Amino acid sequence: MATDYASEWMTDELQALRDVARRFFEREAAPQMPKWSEQRFVDREFWVKAGRLGLLCPTVPEEYGGPGGNILHQVAITEEQSHVLEKGWGNNVHSGVVTDYILRYGSKEQCQRWLPSMVEGTLIGAIAMTEPGAGSDVRAIAGRARRDGDEYVIDATKTFITNGQTADLIIVAVKLENPRDPAADPRAITLIAVEADNAGGFARGAPLRKIGQHAADTSELFFHGCRVPVGNRIGDEGSGFPALMNQMPQERLILAVNAVVQTEKAVQLTLAYTKERKVFGKPLFDQQNTRFVLAECATLARAARLFIDHCIVAHAQGRLDNKTAAMAKWWLTDVQCHVLDECVQLFGGYGYMEEYPIARMYADSRVQKIYGGANEIMKEIIARAL
Ligand SMILES: Cc1cc2nc3c(=O)[nH]c(=O)nc-3n(C[C@H](O)[C@H](O)[C@H](O)COP(=O)(O)OP(=O)(O)OC[C@H]3O[C@@H](n4cnc5c(N)ncnc54)[C@H](O)[C@@H]3O)c2cc1C
C-alpha cells in the first residue's frame, strides 16, 4: 500500500490479519522462492502452514471449518502475498476462486466433504477450463463427459492450469454427452469435481516452463476415461457456463488487486534505487526525465489504488458488475505492465538481471494481460455493456 494513503475499507482487524500474513510470507515463503522457482511449484507443507495460521479460504463459514470472513479478508491476504512474494503461490485460485464455486454452487454435503480440508491446506483446489484449442472462447471446449450409471466418464485435455501439479480437487469444465436426448444443448457446460487421489484415468503433465512466475504451478491435465461419482457434479447439469461467468468478477478483482500492489511496489523500489544510483555526478532521481517518469508512474499507481478500492468496496457490498470488473482487470493490469516497463528502464542493465526484484516483477507481470480473460475480451465485455 502507498505510505501516504490508507484505503477506507481497511479496519484494525484486517490490518492485524495483514500483519500476520506479511510476517508469515516473509518468514516462511520468501526464503523458499528460489527452490520453488526451480521445481516450479510451492511445497505442500507451505499450504498446511498457511492453513494453520488461518490464511486459507477466509470466506468459508465456521460450520465448514473456516473463519467466516468475507472478501475483504481475502483481499487483505492477497495484497500481502503480492507484496512479499511477487507471484507464485496459487492461493488466489484455491481460496478466492475454487472455494467460492463450492460454497455457491456445491451441495451441503460437498461443502462438508471438501471445505474443511481446503481451509486446513490438506486439499488443494484448481479449476480447469482452458484447453489447447479453447481459451478465450470457453464455449468451444472439446472436453466431454458421459453418464454411465452413478458415474461420469470424462475425456478432456486441459492446459495452463494453476495448481495443476499439486491440486487434489480439480473442478473440470466439460460438455455432457446425452445419448438419450440428442436434442439437448450440446454446448451446455457442466462442472465436475475430480478428486485426484481416487481418479483412474487422470494424469498430470510436467510443470509448464513459463517466462515468469516460475514458482507458480501451471500444468497440463489429462482425463482419459476418468470416472467420477455423479455426486461430484457441482450444480446442475448444463449450469456450468452461467456459473463460470458469475464467478468472473471476483477472479478479475483479485487479479486486479495483485496488479495494483505490484504497481505500487515497482514505484517504491524505483524511487529508492534512483535516489541511490549516481549518474553524471548526481542521483539518477535528479534527472528531469527520471522525476517526470516517476511522477507519472506514482500518479497512475494512485489512480489505480482509488479504482481498485472502489471495486473492492463494491464487491464487498455485492454490487461489482461484470463491466466494472472487466474495466478493472484490463486497465489495472495494463497500468501494471506499463509502469514496470518504465521502472525497468530506470534501473538500466540491473533492471534486466534476475537477481533484481524489478526484473522478476517485469517478467511476472506480462501474463496478467492474458489470463483471467485476455484484456481484449475485457474490452468486448465493456463495449457490450455500453
Ligand atoms: C500462467 C497461466 C495460468 C493460468 N491458469 C488457468 C487456470 O487455472 N485455469 C484455466 O482454466 N485457465 C488458466 N489459464 C488460461 C488462460 O485463462 C488463457 O490462457 C486465456 O483465457 C487466453 O486463452 P488462450 O491462451 O487460449 O488464448 P486465445 O483464446 O487463443 O487468445 C489469444 C489472443 O487472441 C486475442 N483474442 C481472443 N479472442 C478475441 C476476441 N474475441 N476479440 C479480440 N481479440 C481476441 C487476445 O489478444 C488473446 O490474448 C492460465 C494461463 C496462464 C498463462
Side-chain angles (χ1 to χ4, degrees), residues 56-69 95 99 103 115-116 118-119:
L56 300 179
C57 311
T59 58
V60 170
E62 286 173 17
E63 63 175 310
Y64 303 128
S95 295
T99 299
L103 269 174
L115 292 176
M118 290 182 73
V119 173

Side-chain angles (χ1 to χ4, degrees), residues 29 228 256:
V228 178

